[in-house]
Amino acid sequence: MPRALKINPRDNVAVVLNDVQSGEEVVVNGEEETIRLTAREEIAFGHKIALIPLEADQPVIKYGEEIGRARVAIPAGNWIHLHNLYCQRGRGD
Amino acid sequence: METFMGYRRPRGLPGVRNLVAVIPSVFCANTVARQISDRVAGTVSFCHPVGCSQVGLDLELTARALKGLGRHPNFYGVVVVGLGCERFRARELAESIAEAGKPVELVIIQEEGDTLKAVDKGARLAAKLVEEAARQPREEFPLSQLCLGLKCGGTDATSGLAANPSLGWVADRIVEAGGAAIFTEVTELLGAEHILARRAVNPQVAGAIMATIADMETRLQAATASCGIQNRSALISPGNEDGGVTTVVEKALGGIHKAGRSPIRGVLAYGEEVKGPGLYLLDCAGHDGEAVTGLVASGCQIVAFTTGRGTPTGFSGVPVVKITGNSATFQRMQFNIDFNAGGVIEGLSIAGAGSELLRLIKRVASGEPARAELLQHNELFCVTRV
């Protein structure tokens, strides 16, 4: 079964440690607990999976800190990357 | 108590190696310096493209880097080689090294007469220093006498997950023991300055962290003003994005993991000696060579270098310990990589990987060669410029 790592207890995303297929169950290991979650999309090794449903503009937390905000509402189990996560800091313009 | 076996110095931290350095004060003395080193075992030379036709801060950075290198504890003594008419005077470099209480010899080519005479004199002086160094035994020192440099390069998705957290665990143990650790690569910290500032020991240090990162961003903006990749968007590479890194804050957070969780005690200027125990930020851009040279000039006896994709580089006289979180890279580049933290990806705890890495770093501090030393990699000596 594919695995994912929730790096900090505050995080609302985890990093998948295997390539994950849509519909596959993922075991998410965290410091405090291990949970199971169904991936709703294909997610490549090293990429992020939403652990809870996120509203548009809600902070995305990884390493215990805000790394950016959701562009749109993101259901739990979805892939999070450039298409649905933005960060004011470090934009090219 | 955790200890390692090092070499006592007249002043400051002990060395983990006991070599004689041959340092040209100017590039015109490079060949003489290299030929002196080629003739005498136990010496290393440091050729570079600077030391003359420089002014202001640029000259200052060169002077501080070369002085820091000469004063470095891993060198028993130094032969300084000058030409005679250069802007950065060989005598100034030699005097700075002598202030550290270390044996230093001076060879000035124009005073000796020619290359052959200068090499002959330098080789005899270097041989005398090597003989003296050989009489010195290793002694036991507590971990508080270690200053560890923290660096990464060739990052992939495993760096932020396995290699950097494992190294961060080691940095925390060294700082807890009363030792020092230094991180740098300020270009990679943009976006995480508010998080780092919260870790400062006082508001002055927090302000210095914010100012250092803001200044680097200004320089980066100026440097990229006329090219297609505009300022901060240049900080995330296509490879980072393919690997799953989405934002600059995320990239910065993955990188600063290697500095552990200790409070930040201060910001060091390039070439400035570490001010005491604790975790410090060194003001330098992310270039592997410039950054490692800066860490060495500040006094790091060992540099711990995390790499996902794998890199073979090293620094003469200073062990650069390579750590990967990618087991495939470890298998493929096994003679370049010292430590595999990839177990963390398979479920090993950070503390488990970290404690094994700390044991390795103590062995390297006590004399076990890092892979980059065995293979004589020395491409990381590179003086930063304005």
Side-chain angles (χ1 to χ4, degrees):
Chain A
M1 194 176 289
R3 292 185 307 112
L5 183 63
K6 179 181 174 179
I7 297 164
N8 186 286
R10 293 185 58 220
D11 292 357
N12 54 23
V13 298
V15 180
V16 301
L17 303 176
N18 312 86
D19 289 335
V20 177
Q21 302 304 314
S22 179
E24 261 190 306
E25 197 171 50
V26 181
V27 178
V28 183
N29 293 309
E31 237 173 73
E32 292 172 355
E33 52 171 10
T34 297
I35 59 165
R36 282 158 190 264
L37 179 74
T38 302
R40 289 166 44 97
E41 298 179 279
E42 193 179 315
I43 307 174
F45 166 81
H47 285 242
K48 296 176 284 296
I49 184 171
L51 293 176
I52 57 166
L54 296 167
E55 291 166 27
D57 288 320
Q58 188 175 334
V60 173
I61 310 290
K62 183 182 170 187
Y63 301 112
E65 301 284 350
E66 178 180 331
I67 60 165
R69 291 180 179 240
R71 270 184 214 281
V72 292
I74 305 171
N78 268 36
W79 175 40
I80 295 189
H81 201 28
L82 301 161
H83 59 288
N84 57 7
L85 168 60
Y86 75 96
C87 180
Q88 280 308 120
R89 190 78 173 90
R91 281 160 49 130
D93 51 18
Chain B
M1 190 173 58
E2 306 229 48
T3 61
F4 67 97
M5 300 299 287
Y7 295 96
R8 190 174 299 281
R9 296 296 176 229
R11 195 176 75 73
L13 297 174
V16 304
R17 299 291 181 267
N18 207 32
L19 294 163
V20 170
V22 184
I23 306 179
S25 66
V26 62
F27 70 93
C28 316
N30 278 352
T31 299
V32 169
R34 200 189 64 240
Q35 289 186 2
I36 291 170
S37 179
D38 285 348
R39 284 206 194 169
V40 186
T43 66
V44 284
S45 63
F46 291 92
C47 295
H48 58 73
V50 287
C52 202
S53 303
Q54 292 176 283
V55 290
L57 180 62
D58 191 43
L59 177 64
E60 185 61 31
L61 291 172
T62 291
R64 289 206 301 251
L66 295 182
K67 287 175 184 177
L69 177 69
R71 295 160 76 105
H72 193 278
N74 289 5
F75 304 122
Y76 168 85
V78 181
V79 177
V80 172
V81 185
L83 175 60
C85 54
E86 62 273 26
R87 170 73 65 180
F88 179 49
R89 309 312 294 258
R91 199 157 266 117
E92 181 185 334
L93 175 57
E95 280 165 7
S96 170
I97 297 165
E99 280 167 20
K102 296 209 301 189
V104 57
E105 301 289 354
L106 187 58
V107 176
I108 296 182
I109 298 166
Q110 290 167 350
E111 290 178 12
E112 295 310 319
D114 60 24
T115 294
L116 296 178
K117 291 173 190 162
V119 170
D120 186 63
K121 179 176 178 185
R124 288 170 196 277
L125 291 168
K128 183 197 71 171
L129 292 177
V130 169
E131 282 175 346
E132 286 172 22
R135 290 184 209 115
Q136 193 182 1
R138 284 190 184 262
E139 298 172 52
E140 194 166 13
F141 291 94
L143 216 48
S144 62
Q145 296 297 296
L146 202 61
C147 178
L148 183 67
L150 309 167
K151 177 75 185 78
C152 60
T155 298
D156 74 1
T158 64
S159 301
L161 293 173
N164 288 344
S166 301
L167 178 54
W169 189 93
V170 169
D172 283 343
R173 299 293 85 73
I174 290 174
V175 168
E176 273 171 15
I182 308 177
F183 70 113
T184 176
E185 303 173 274
V186 177
T187 40
E188 314 291 320
L189 302 179
L190 270 67
E193 53 273 79
H194 57 295
I195 295 158
L196 291 168
R198 286 205 304 262
R199 287 173 52 185
V201 289
N202 61 41
Q204 286 74 24
V205 171
I209 291 168
M210 296 297 283
T212 300
I213 297 173
D215 181 55
M216 186 62 80
E217 187 166 9
T218 305
R219 280 188 267 162
L220 203 55
Q221 278 169 337
T224 58
S226 60
C227 75
I229 301 170
Q230 287 291 299
N231 61 70
R232 296 169 299 199
S233 62
L235 295 174
I236 294 195
S237 67
N240 291 151
E241 288 178 355
D242 292 347
V245 176
T246 314
T247 74
V248 290
V249 180
E250 182 182 10
K251 181 174 175 174
L253 287 168
I256 62 179
H257 251 315
K258 65 182 175 293
R261 298 175 182 180
S262 306
I264 300 168
R265 294 196 65 85
V267 178
L268 302 171
Y270 196 78
E272 184 180 7
E273 193 172 0
V274 66
K275 292 167 182 167
L279 178 65
Y280 289 84
L281 170 62
L282 168 68
D283 184 9
C284 181
H287 183 282
D288 288 356
E290 293 175 19
V292 170
T293 301
L295 292 169
V296 169
S298 288
C300 296
Q301 303 116 309
I302 297 182
V303 174
F305 192 121
T306 62
T307 178
R309 303 187 65 84
T311 170
T313 55
F315 194 102
S316 296
V318 179
V320 179
V321 176
K322 296 284 169 40
I323 302 142
T324 189
N326 186 326
S327 297
T329 298
F330 185 71
Q331 289 306 320
R332 199 172 51 246
M333 296 185 74
Q334 46 182 284
F335 224 90
N336 291 128
I337 309 288
D338 296 278
F339 187 78
N340 183 16
V344 173
I345 305 290
E346 279 96 51
L348 178 66
S349 71
I350 297 294
S355 52
E356 204 184 315
L357 176 57
L358 179 59
R359 280 196 292 276
L360 170 67
I361 286 176
K362 287 193 298 184
R363 289 202 309 272
V364 171
S366 301
E368 187 175 305
R371 292 284 161 98
E373 289 178 286
L374 281 176
L375 297 182
Q376 302 187 77
H377 277 282
N378 61 2
E379 50 283 271
L380 288 171
F381 174 56
C382 181
V383 178
T384 199
R385 302 205 55 182
V386 172

